[in-house]
Amino acid sequence: YAWDANEEYLFKAVVAFAMRRYSSKSTTQISNVLLCNVTDRVSFWFVVTDSATNATTVPGSEVEAAIRMNRNRINSAFLLSDQTLQFLKISSTISPPVEPSTPVWLIVFGVVLCLTVAGIIFLIVSGIQRRKKKNKESSEREDFEEKCEVTVTMENGIPCETLDLKAGHINGVYAADDERFASL
Amino acid sequence: ADAPPGNPKEDGRPKWDNKFQYILSCIGFAVGLGNVWRFPYLCQIHGGGAFLIPYFIALVFEGIPLLHLELALGQRLRRGSIGAWHAVSPYLGGVGIGSWLLSVLISLYYNTVLTWVMWYFINSFQEPLPWSVCPLNENRTGFNEECYESTAVNYFWYRKTLNITPDVTEKGTLQWWLVLCLAACWAIVYLCTTRGIETTGKAIYVTAIFPYLVLTIFLIHGLTLPGATEGLAYLFTPNLNILKNPRVWLDAATQIFFSLSLAFGGLIAFSSYSSPKNDCEKDAVTVAIVNCLTSLYASIPIFSVLGFKATTGYWDCLDRNIISIINKFDLPEQSITRQNYTTSIRLLNISHPEKIAALKLKSCNLQEFLDQSVSGTGLAFIAFTQAVILMPAPQAWAILFFTMLFSLGLSSMFGNIEGVFTPLLEIKIISKSIPKELLSGIICLISFLTALCFTLGSGSYWIDIFDSYAGSLPLLVIAFFEMTGIAYVYKIKRFSEDVKWMTGRKPNLYWQITWRFISPLLLLIVFVAFVTLQIQKSPSYAAWNPKYEYFPMKEEKVYPPWVLAICVLLSVLPCIFVPLVAIFHLIKQMLRSKDPSSVPPAVFSCQGANS
């Protein structure tokens, strides 16, 4: 926004408001605030005259204290900040940074660590289970192999002992084959 | 009895789930933090685009041959570094032991760098970011003095993170927050490497691919930032005169070498788990090219962001000057803008020179801001964090950036740990009595306890020492012996036969020439040049000393003798095993030949061993 006479009027009003709040004297008027040397830069000098006697000026320290107390309100009246609305000789105090009760990074660290430890435990437990299963399987296989050796040897599903016991049957088809082949 | 059906491990050795996992692991191992914070810096200081010429020459004549050699060796012999080199020739066993020791040393300090990354990551969840504001001093009247004189970003790095001591001899205390982060990092490494490649193979899908996603996001965002084009122009403008400087060629050769993670033993370990008939030639070329392209791809967003940072710094400088001029001359707002700054100041200097001089304006020069080149931790934790504060939604960018760095480092850690783990698994006593999970747990625990010394106040000085002395010279020596060992002890003819058996075709003329002559010669030249350069400058370091008179400049200090002794020890220890083991076997051979009743040693056959 452009700086014009209306803004100057607002400024005077705000300074008067600050003086009233500070000294609790409800007598300071807008006309008590005087601006001079207004430049294009929008910088100027201002004094506050005592409302009782229209000639003397209020000491600078009082004005400074009043403005310091109400800096926030003055800034927001003009939609400006401490950097953009500067009162020379009134340095702004720096607000301390907000410190949460637990540092945020500890929380994030806790999350990361818990996830990692959960993963490790899962892997170790599954590894132990796998090893137990493998041991059980290999021991089962060994038992099975032992059992196989004890079983009777099979030949086409017929136990070998039974086959051996019978005398060999002569197969009639082949017995009569002699005359089929040509003699050498 | 029939073999039980579905047994994939014919020789008991674990295998990669698929080829893609293997390639991705090799790429993840090769692509690490150096691609992001070392290559762009080298490009910048060595004449921009012109640096690519020595870089590609080094790649073709040094990087790819050595990479192919290591991958083929591991695949053929199917053993980790110690076993493989012992199998090549007992006299070369020291090369394997040297590689193994190197992997141990590097794993120790590399994970501490990841600790720092993790610390920054968990601090990125705050508003405002902790490195953007200075803390107040005791009586709340102003900012903390150390922070005020340097910058908030520097303060957070040197004081809040490292709590650095002014001297390498001052040990300082263990920084508990770093100890916690170190424990978390080693826990994550243990989680991913519990069962060797079985677990890293799954983790690598995330850690190897995620950085590319983030780099793309940063690329798109970075190119939209103001000042990005200046940064990129500055990076890539070729200055061909720089090629006359031998330093450039040396840096290119060493960068290729360290970037591809050669001579660590990790690549041999990885390839030993792949199938014997895999095409290792294609793998080697693929990994090398992907690594180089990643370096190039990463330098674009990095330099866009750095260009943005320089431009913002330049604009801040201009703005501060403009405010003081406007205040002094009581001119209206916007009368002097950045665009007409130079003309206005010239006019004012003509009309009111004494007023202008009284203002003591700082000269603002964009080139000066761009020239503030940083590499390594300075790039990530100081320059980039400063740039991130200036972006919209800085928390999101910081989180993305640090997770990217963490994945890059983690995938390289997998290779390092595998280089330590695999040879240990091949020692029969260990593999029979201890399950894999316990062995990897023991390795991680011992490494964590040893790495605690890097979390002391002087820790970062020690990491620099490890990086410069353990992570550089011994690698060159080991690689040289690798090449000459294969070329002249094992003989290239035999090696070519092995490669032909694996890939189905004989290695062509390029491989023959580079393996036999060019690469060993190049490595020798690089080694000699490196040593001469190291000897010429007396080893010194830059210390952060708040009481220094020129603070925030760093103080140049010289290493005390006992630190120098440790440096020499770090460089020499891995290399010393090469001659030691050769001499040991020579003596054994001589004693055996003196004893007439001994059986002559059988001709060694290098068939794939059943491990």
Side-chain angles (χ1 to χ4, degrees):
Chain A
Y1 51 81
W3 187 264
D4 55 8
N6 298 328
E7 304 290 340
E8 286 182 19
Y9 191 80
L10 178 59
F11 184 78
K12 292 186 199 174
V14 160
V15 170
F17 162 75
M19 291 305 299
R20 285 193 184 202
R21 280 195 78 201
Y22 174 69
S23 50
S24 338
K25 278 189 295 187
S26 327
T27 50
T28 322
Q29 302 292 331
I30 291 182
S31 47
N32 289 122
V33 184
L34 305 165
L35 270 58
C36 37
N37 277 4
V38 184
T39 62
D40 276 338
R41 176 74 185 95
V42 197
S43 68
F44 47 82
W45 291 93
F46 70 96
V47 289
V48 182
T49 56
D50 202 331
S51 53
T53 61
N54 246 348
T56 54
T57 53
V58 176
S61 50
E62 253 188 74
V63 181
E64 271 179 41
I67 293 189
R68 206 182 290 235
M69 199 175 88
N70 298 293
R71 192 64 193 273
N72 210 18
R73 304 292 298 271
I74 301 177
N75 281 351
S76 42
F78 289 97
L79 305 171
L80 293 172
S81 66
D82 276 359
Q83 277 79 37
T84 35
L85 175 62
Q86 271 181 312
F87 288 90
L88 298 173
K89 285 197 253 170
I90 304 180
S91 53
S92 48
T93 52
I94 313 157
S95 58
V98 175
E99 288 268 339
S101 48
T102 20
V104 177
W105 67 265
L106 263 180
I107 301 174
V108 183
F109 171 78
V111 169
V112 169
L113 197 61
C114 285
L115 286 174
T116 317
V117 169
I120 291 176
I121 293 177
F122 168 73
L123 276 180
I124 293 181
V125 165
S126 67
I128 295 176
Q129 279 183 343
R130 210 205 291 178
R131 209 178 308 271
K132 261 195 234 158
K133 209 165 60 165
K134 207 166 37 163
N135 283 341
K136 209 162 57 159
E137 261 181 28
S138 61
S139 65
E140 276 178 11
R141 214 181 309 132
E142 280 168 25
D143 292 339
F144 183 65
E145 281 170 4
E146 282 172 22
K147 278 199 223 128
C148 276
E149 286 166 18
V150 176
T151 53
V152 175
T153 48
M154 300 278 206
E155 185 82 26
N156 284 353
I158 310 168
C160 289
E161 299 91 306
T162 53
L163 280 175
D164 285 340
L165 284 173
K166 294 202 174 98
H169 282 257
I170 304 212
N171 193 335
V173 177
Y174 291 100
D177 255 356
D178 295 314
E179 50 265 27
R180 286 249 222 107
F181 294 108
S183 54
L184 288 166
Chain B
D2 291 336
N7 181 4
K9 308 174 184 176
E10 294 89 0
D11 57 355
R13 198 168 178 78
K15 260 164 55 145
W16 296 105
D17 288 346
N18 51 51
K19 176 90 182 274
F20 183 59
Q21 209 179 62
Y22 164 58
I23 295 279
L24 211 57
S25 297
C26 290
I27 291 178
F29 182 34
V31 170
L33 295 170
N35 293 67
V36 164
W37 70 33
R38 181 113 176 105
F39 176 79
Y41 164 74
L42 284 177
C43 238
Q44 181 196 355
I45 63 169
H46 287 320
F51 182 69
L52 295 177
I53 300 177
Y55 190 69
F56 276 108
I57 292 179
L59 176 72
V60 165
F61 290 113
E62 187 194 336
I64 299 186
L66 200 50
L67 188 60
H68 186 198
L69 189 117
E70 289 210 355
L71 290 182
L73 192 73
Q75 196 174 298
R76 188 70 185 89
L77 297 176
R78 306 186 62 68
R79 282 200 183 141
S81 57
I82 299 183
W85 286 104
H86 188 81
V88 166
S89 160
Y91 294 101
L92 285 176
V95 177
I97 298 181
S99 289
W100 182 83
L101 201 59
L102 266 176
S103 284
V104 170
L105 288 174
I106 289 179
S107 305
L108 283 178
Y109 83 80
Y110 203 80
N111 217 15
T112 316
V113 178
L114 285 187
T115 308
W116 298 336
V117 173
M118 169 172 270
W119 166 252
Y120 267 79
F121 166 71
I122 60 183
N123 270 298
S124 307
F125 286 88
Q126 302 175 30
E127 161 71 26
L129 288 172
W131 56 81
S132 59
V133 284
C134 268
L136 302 177
N137 55 18
E138 283 88 34
N139 41 10
R140 306 275 179 89
T141 51
F143 293 115
N144 179 301
E145 197 189 318
E146 189 183 340
C147 184
Y148 185 68
E149 294 194 8
S150 57
T151 59
V153 192
N154 276 327
Y155 177 75
F156 186 74
W157 169 236
Y158 286 110
R159 192 54 49 210
K160 280 281 157 46
T161 306
L162 298 175
N163 200 6
I164 206 165
T165 54
D167 198 285
V168 72
T169 48
E170 282 178 46
K171 274 210 309 291
T173 51
L174 282 178
Q175 314 305 323
W176 61 272
W177 56 90
L178 284 183
V179 172
L180 284 181
C181 291
L182 186 71
C185 280
W186 276 110
I188 294 180
V189 168
Y190 177 52
L191 172 69
C192 295
T193 58
T194 312
R195 296 205 200 115
I197 62 163
E198 215 181 300
T199 39
T200 60
K202 309 284 186 304
I204 201 80
Y205 286 117
V206 174
T207 58
I209 297 185
F210 181 70
Y212 288 97
L213 288 176
V214 177
L215 277 177
T216 314
I217 296 176
F218 264 104
L219 180 77
I220 300 174
H221 177 69
L223 288 176
T224 61
L225 291 170
T229 34
E230 273 88 21
L232 284 176
Y234 184 69
L235 169 69
F236 284 120
T237 316
N239 173 16
L240 288 166
N241 290 325
I242 209 91
L243 295 179
K244 297 194 200 114
N245 181 3
R247 187 73 215 238
V248 176
W249 294 87
L250 178 65
D251 275 344
T254 45
Q255 171 62 17
I256 269 290
F257 188 77
F258 302 137
S259 178
L260 285 172
S261 306
L262 300 166
F264 283 73
L267 287 168
I268 297 183
F270 278 158
S271 58
S272 70
Y273 294 118
S274 56
S275 65
K277 298 275 193 173
N278 183 37
D279 190 347
C280 49
E281 183 182 340
K282 217 158 54 157
D283 295 342
V285 176
T286 314
V287 171
I289 291 188
V290 170
N291 182 51
C292 290
L293 289 179
T294 308
S295 293
L296 280 170
Y297 189 59
S299 48
I300 301 180
I302 296 285
F303 264 86
S304 315
V305 172
L306 287 180
F308 162 69
K309 170 175 171 285
T311 308
T312 323
Y314 172 63
W315 283 349
D316 278 344
C317 179
L318 280 183
D319 285 344
R320 257 176 297 160
N321 285 357
I322 290 175
I323 288 278
S324 35
I325 294 177
I326 289 184
N327 277 343
K328 186 85 176 174
F329 287 89
D330 277 333
L331 300 166
E333 281 287 332
Q334 308 295 329
S335 56
I336 304 184
T337 60
R338 292 176 194 148
Q339 282 77 15
N340 59 18
Y341 174 78
T342 29
T343 42
S344 317
I345 207 156
R346 208 167 345 121
L347 286 170
L348 286 172
N349 219 358
I350 296 172
S351 49
H352 307 275
E354 64 298 322
K355 269 193 179 177
I356 295 283
L359 280 176
K360 292 207 219 326
L361 295 172
K362 210 165 144 225
S363 75
C364 299
N365 184 2
L366 181 60
Q367 201 60 22
E368 201 182 291
F369 283 99
L370 284 171
D371 273 335
Q372 290 168 359
S373 53
V374 269
S375 79
T377 51
L379 175 74
F381 300 120
I382 298 182
F384 215 81
T385 44
Q386 195 152 27
V388 155
I389 303 173
L390 305 164
M391 297 182 195
Q395 283 80 9
W397 297 111
I399 291 171
L400 269 180
F401 180 63
F402 290 116
T403 18
M404 175 188 80
L405 285 187
F406 195 77
S407 324
L408 281 173
L410 196 63
S411 50
S412 299
M413 269 307 283
F414 292 161
N416 284 325
I417 294 286
E418 222 26 73
V420 174
F421 197 40
T422 306
L424 284 180
L425 276 180
E426 282 152 15
I427 303 177
K428 288 278 187 314
I429 335 158
I430 295 184
S431 64
K432 286 248 168 23
S433 55
I434 309 181
K436 259 196 216 170
E437 288 95 335
L438 190 60
L439 180 64
S440 51
I442 293 175
I443 293 178
C444 288
L445 187 64
I446 295 179
S447 309
F448 164 65
L449 292 172
T450 321
L452 278 178
C453 65
F454 292 124
T455 56
L456 291 169
S458 54
S460 93
Y461 297 132
W462 284 105
I463 291 200
D464 281 335
I465 289 175
F466 267 67
D467 196 28
S468 331
Y469 291 97
S472 58
L473 198 67
L475 287 173
L476 289 172
V477 171
I478 300 277
F480 175 71
F481 280 111
E482 281 190 3
M483 277 231 111
T484 42
I486 294 285
Y488 299 109
V489 176
Y490 191 77
K491 301 280 193 301
I492 290 286
K493 197 150 167 285
R494 210 160 137 205
F495 193 67
S496 305
E497 292 298 318
D498 289 336
V499 175
K500 184 168 172 194
W501 182 83
M502 288 193 290
T503 62
R505 52 182 188 281
K506 197 156 182 283
N508 58 30
L509 194 64
Y510 159 70
W511 299 111
Q512 305 286 340
I513 296 184
T514 46
W515 280 339
R516 268 184 237 261
F517 309 117
I518 300 189
S519 296
L521 190 65
L522 207 58
L523 274 172
L524 190 64
I525 295 176
V526 169
F527 172 70
V528 169
F530 196 81
V531 171
T532 16
L533 271 168
Q534 287 284 86
I535 290 178
Q536 272 175 1
K537 57 171 188 19
S538 65
S540 66
Y541 66 105
W544 179 263
N545 186 4
K547 298 197 178 44
Y548 186 45
E549 53 174 318
Y550 296 117
F551 186 76
M553 301 283 292
K554 289 194 172 172
E555 191 181 350
E556 284 286 326
K557 287 191 183 173
V558 177
Y559 287 125
W562 65 274
V563 175
L564 275 176
I566 295 184
C567 297
V568 171
L569 188 71
L570 280 175
S571 293
V572 163
L573 194 65
C575 313
I576 205 81
F577 279 97
V578 180
L580 270 182
V581 171
I583 294 174
F584 171 72
H585 275 281
L586 200 65
I587 295 178
K588 212 161 93 171
Q589 188 77 342
M590 286 200 305
L591 287 175
R592 206 181 295 179
S593 62
K594 281 203 187 125
D595 182 4
S597 64
S598 69
V599 180
V603 172
F604 179 74
S605 92
C606 56
Q607 296 304 312
N610 296 328
S611 54

